């Protein structure tokens, strides 16, 4: 009976974790014609391998709705796939293209967004994003 009580208690303690989500930042680096989108932890510049369901780039002037996507890739069965940085316009292995890539322009605000799972015992979904502009030959973060 003691083991059953412990198992129920552990299960109840895990419930709040399952309803949480984690925010992760996305960043864009590289050149205008070959940018890379990476997942990073908030406050860090180091790119992570991340389990990703989908990743997209949006025209900052048109918003983040489906109509604003200028490139979007996702796993075909909504499962999360472990990937590193993704080069804009190149489909990662195991992904499909929802929106083909559109040409990027300097001095234009873009938003990068993504979703996936953190992994591990208490895996929770992560959502992430960031706004960027290519100016003076580098990608710069743009505040919301």
């Amino acid at each position: 009976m003691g083991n059953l009580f412990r198992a129920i208690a552990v299960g109840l303690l895990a419930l709040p974790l399952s309803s949480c989500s984690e925010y992760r930042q996305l960043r864009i680096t590289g050149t205008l014609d070959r940018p890379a989108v990476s997942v990073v932890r908030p406050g860090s510049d180091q790119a992570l391998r991340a389990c990703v369901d989908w990743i997209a780039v949006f025209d900052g002037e048109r918003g983040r709705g489906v109509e604003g996507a200028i490139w979007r890739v996702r796993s075909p069965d909504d499962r999360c796939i472990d990937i590193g940085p993704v080069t804009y316009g190149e489909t990662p292995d195991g992904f499909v293209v929802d929106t083909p890539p559109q040409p990027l322009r300097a001095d234009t605000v873009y938003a990068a967004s993504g979703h996936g799972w953190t992994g591990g015992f208490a895996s929770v979904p992560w959502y992430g994003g960031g706004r960027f502009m290519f100016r003076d030959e580098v990608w710069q973060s743009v505040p919301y």
Side-chain angles (χ1 to χ4, degrees), residues 4-18 121:
L4 177 60
F5 178 73
R6 275 190 225 114
I8 292 171
V10 168
L12 290 174
L13 288 173
L15 282 176
L17 293 175
S18 65
F121 172 72

Side-chain angles (χ1 to χ4, degrees), residues 27-79:
R27 72 174 176 176
I28 299 178
T29 58
T31 61
L32 181 62
D33 61 332
R34 200 163 155 75
V37 180
S38 304
V39 177
V40 296
R41 288 193 194 281
S44 169
D45 269 348
Q46 185 174 3
L48 301 171
R49 286 198 65 78
C51 202
V52 176
D53 297 325
W54 61 267
I55 199 159
V57 175
F58 299 88
D59 182 323
E61 295 172 5
R62 294 193 324 207
R64 288 192 180 193
V66 174
E67 67 281 349
I70 60 168
W71 182 61
R72 185 177 192 273
V73 295
R74 64 174 172 83
S75 68
D77 54 5
D78 294 326
R79 68 185 163 88

Side-chain angles (χ1 to χ4, degrees), residues 107-131:
D107 300 318
T108 301
V109 175
Y110 296 100
S113 296
H115 177 269
W117 291 85
T118 60
F121 172 72
S123 183
V124 296
W126 66 263
Y127 298 90
R131 288 173 27 112

